């Protein structure tokens, strides 16, 4: 992701400003434009008042990161993902203005923090952090204050249409406290996850085979038989038809089979970038479970250990997802 041309466009678009000149109003407008541009670049939808990216209970693919300083120093960060295991980062080698601090978190991967303002700009403190994650746009910079302002403006505005549309609440906070503490909270994707389809995407490292290992996923669409009383040996309409897609730990498609129509009990073989073949087996009637096998793992469509989630038949088909070690 590149942002330099976007910033140039922002500067150009802000060249004409009504008089009398107001530095505060100008800076606020600049910040709002930058926040919107950041959101457009990372592909986040605009205008959702209720979503909060840092709410990992509502969004299990997301993690919360809190950034805090006190009295112009005492830098702190903590990261919590859906496992609710909070990890604290208090050992900062560059807890000062424009100092670059790098960490490696097991939930979100390598990340860096730079505080870009100090003293009078933030009430005799250290503030305005830029947050960057290696796996989100290769250290794409998030202007945390700009995103927090947009969230506050929209979330607490009594008339949303008057205030305008804001972000999907990626960050919040930034205000100072009497004890000199300044804090922000943001929602960022866990390694290999994203905030909705095609949005705020984290891409973890892939191996030499071209996939991200760890915990992969499989998505199945099972279409009901058009002629359930027909002869499945001679009539494909008397068999189930299946679409099967395999995803790696980055949620990227690494193999699929579409329109397969095996006989009951005969497995569909799905080859992918993974080293082993995935087997998916349908049975005789609608109520029968779909069966899966990969390497030394085997399970049915309601297996809890494989985080399976299958719906009921609707409009002639049912869909479901499972996970597996890869």
């Amino acid at each position: 992701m590149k942002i330099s041309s976007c910033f140039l466009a922002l500067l150009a678009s802000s060249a004409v400003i009504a008089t009398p000149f107001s530095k505060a109003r100008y800076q606020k407008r600049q910040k709002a434009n930058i926040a919107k541009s950041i959101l457009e670049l990372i592909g986040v939808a605009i205008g959702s008042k209720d979503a909060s990216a840092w709410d990992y209970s509502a969004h299990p693919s997301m993690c919360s990161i809190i950034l805090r300083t006190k009295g112009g120093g005492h830098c702190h960060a903590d990261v919590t993902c859906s496992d609710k295991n909070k990890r604290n980062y208090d050992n900062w080698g560059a807890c000062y203005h424009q100092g670059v601090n790098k960490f490696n978190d097991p939930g979100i991967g390598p990340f860096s923090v730079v505080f870009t303002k100090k003293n009078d700009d933030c009430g005799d403190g250290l503030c305005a952090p830029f947050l960057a994650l290696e796996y989100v746009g290769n250290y794409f910079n998030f202007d945390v204050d700009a995103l927090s302002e947009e969230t506050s403006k929209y979330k607490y505005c009594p008339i949303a249409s008057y205030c305008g549309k804001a972000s999907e609440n990626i960050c919040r906070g930034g205000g100072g406290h009497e004890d000199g503490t300044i804090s922000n909270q943001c929602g960022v994707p866990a390694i290999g996850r994203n905030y909705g389809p095609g949005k705020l995407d984290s891409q973890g490292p892939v191996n030499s085979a071209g996939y991200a290992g760890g915990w992969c996923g499989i998505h199945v669409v099972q279409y009901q038989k058009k002629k359930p009383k027909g002869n499945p040996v001679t009539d494909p309409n008397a068999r189930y038809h299946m679409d099967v897609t395999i995803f790696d730990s980055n949620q990227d498609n690494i193999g699929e089979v579409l329109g397969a129509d095996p006989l009951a009990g005969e497995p569909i073989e799905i080859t992918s970038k993974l080293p082993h073949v995935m087997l998916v087996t349908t049975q005789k009637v609608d109520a029968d479970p779909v069966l899966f096998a990969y390497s030394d793992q085997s399970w049915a469509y309601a297996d809890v250990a494989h985080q399976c989630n299958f719906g009921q038949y609707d409009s002639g088909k049912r869909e479901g997802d499972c996970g597996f070690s890869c």
Side-chain angles (χ1 to χ4, degrees), residues 77-93:
D78 61 65
V79 180
T80 309
C81 300
S82 58
D83 59 5
K84 299 183 180 179
N85 178 26
K86 184 168 75 172
R87 297 170 292 276
N88 294 298
Y89 298 92
D90 292 307
N91 185 18
W92 294 55

Side-chain angles (χ1 to χ4, degrees), residues 10-272:
L10 284 172
L11 291 172
S13 66
S14 301
V16 179
I17 301 174
T19 55
F21 177 76
S22 167
K23 180 179 179 182
R25 186 170 60 192
Y26 177 76
Q27 290 176 334
K28 187 173 183 180
R29 178 181 172 186
Q30 285 284 77
K31 185 169 287 189
N33 287 341
I34 291 171
K36 182 178 178 182
S37 299
I38 291 171
L39 294 163
E40 289 172 347
L41 281 171
I42 61 180
V44 174
I46 306 296
S48 174
K49 187 174 183 178
D50 299 320
S52 296
W54 55 82
D55 185 355
Y56 48 79
S57 296
H59 306 291
S61 64
M62 301 296 286
C63 299
S64 162
I65 179 167
I66 293 176
L67 305 174
R68 185 172 67 241
T69 64
K70 184 175 181 180
H74 303 284
C75 298
H76 166 87
D78 61 65
V79 180
T80 309
C81 300
S82 58
D83 59 5
K84 299 183 180 179
N85 178 26
K86 184 168 75 172
R87 297 170 292 276
N88 294 298
Y89 298 92
D90 292 307
N91 185 18
W92 294 55
C95 180
Y96 48 78
H97 180 234
Q98 299 293 1
V100 180
N101 300 272
K102 294 186 175 182
F103 308 95
N104 194 354
D105 182 80
I108 64 175
F111 69 96
S112 68
V113 181
V114 177
F115 291 98
T116 62
K117 294 182 180 179
K118 65 176 182 177
N119 298 333
D120 292 343
D121 287 328
C122 44
D124 194 25
L126 193 61
C127 64
F130 271 62
L131 170 67
L133 283 70
E134 179 177 352
Y135 299 148
V136 178
N138 190 24
Y139 284 110
F140 176 81
N141 273 316
F142 291 83
D143 185 335
V144 174
D145 263 14
L147 294 172
S148 298
E149 266 194 28
E150 287 294 288
T151 296
S152 178
K153 179 177 67 176
Y154 189 58
K155 195 174 185 67
Y156 302 108
C157 177
I159 306 174
S161 60
Y162 174 79
C163 296
K165 295 181 178 180
S167 73
E168 261 190 286
N169 303 337
I170 303 300
C171 298
R172 65 176 175 178
H177 301 275
E178 290 184 0
D179 65 354
T181 299
I182 302 172
S183 64
N184 294 86
Q185 183 178 22
C186 296
V188 297
I191 297 174
R193 298 294 180 258
N194 59 65
Y195 189 34
K199 306 173 185 177
L200 201 55
D201 191 17
S202 171
Q203 287 287 309
V206 300
N207 57 27
S208 58
Y211 71 91
W215 188 254
C216 292
I218 183 167
H219 180 74
V220 171
V221 183
Q222 182 179 15
Y223 299 91
Q224 288 178 297
K225 301 172 184 177
K226 294 181 179 179
K227 297 180 179 178
K229 295 184 179 180
N231 183 351
V233 176
T234 58
D235 187 356
N237 288 321
R239 309 172 200 159
Y240 291 110
H241 285 64
M242 303 284 288
D243 295 336
V244 183
T245 306
I246 297 175
F247 300 91
D248 69 359
S249 288
N250 281 334
Q251 299 178 325
D252 290 333
N253 184 334
I254 56 171
E256 65 182 2
V257 169
L258 304 177
D261 59 348
L263 293 169
E266 292 187 357
I268 306 167
E269 297 186 358
I270 303 99
T271 58
S272 65

